Amino acid sequence: MGRSIEWKLVLFILATGLVVSAAEVLPAYAADFSLGVSPTSATIQIGSSVTITVTSQGLTGTINVGIRGVSPSFSKGLTFTQTRYDIYISKTSPTGTALLTFSAAKGAVPTTYTITVVGKDITGGCCYGLTHSATLTLTVV
């Protein structure tokens, strides 16, 4: 994860022609963010559910998260719900989370799914549109 520190140099020219300088360090800000899922693999039995935590940190702002791809495609009986679609990250709360709950009802096909979760910066500024992804392996038994 890249971090950038901006230095601000203020020069004061006094009437005597003497130059005085002072350096001020501005707060560090992240020019990037990370995205992860926990756990990265899970097993779900037909008739039950499992909750996955999506975590983002690093960039101060809003990260929009969701499922971008599933391979193979979800079968009948397998569903998911998402508690929130935006993760908010601030200096006072540097890590944000969202939950994905997968449920396997009667009729779900026992197989292993590879699920891609994507996060996109929607705050604006330097990193608007920046995306990252995390992969989850979900096995239905």
Side-chain angles (χ1 to χ4, degrees):
M1 174 176 14
R3 293 198 180 264
S4 175
I5 298 178
E6 183 178 338
W7 290 85
K8 182 178 178 184
L9 183 62
V10 181
L11 298 175
F12 296 99
I13 302 176
L14 302 175
T16 60
L18 188 63
V19 176
V20 179
S21 66
E24 174 187 340
V25 178
L26 297 179
Y29 63 91
D32 201 354
F33 67 95
S34 64
L35 187 77
V37 292
S38 179
T40 57
S41 65
T43 300
I44 182 173
Q45 293 184 351
I46 293 175
S48 64
S49 62
V50 64
T51 299
I52 306 298
T53 302
V54 181
T55 305
S56 184
Q57 63 183 21
L59 182 69
T60 300
T62 304
I63 306 301
N64 181 262
V65 295
I67 291 179
R68 174 68 55 90
V70 179
S71 178
S73 297
F74 276 166
S75 67
K76 178 181 175 184
L78 187 62
T79 60
F80 83 95
T81 56
Q82 190 168 342
T83 59
R84 30 190 318 200
Y85 292 90
D86 292 332
I87 295 176
Y88 305 101
I89 305 168
S90 67
K91 291 179 185 178
T92 57
S93 183
T95 301
T97 61
L99 300 176
L100 297 172
T101 301
F102 295 90
S103 301
K106 187 175 180 181
V109 177
T111 192
T112 299
Y113 298 91
T114 301
I115 302 165
T116 303
V117 179
V118 174
K120 178 180 179 182
D121 173 26
I122 59 170
T123 305
C126 72
C127 302
Y128 179 79
L130 181 65
T131 60
H132 287 289
S133 63
T135 302
L136 161 69
T137 302
L138 182 67
T139 301
V140 177
V141 294

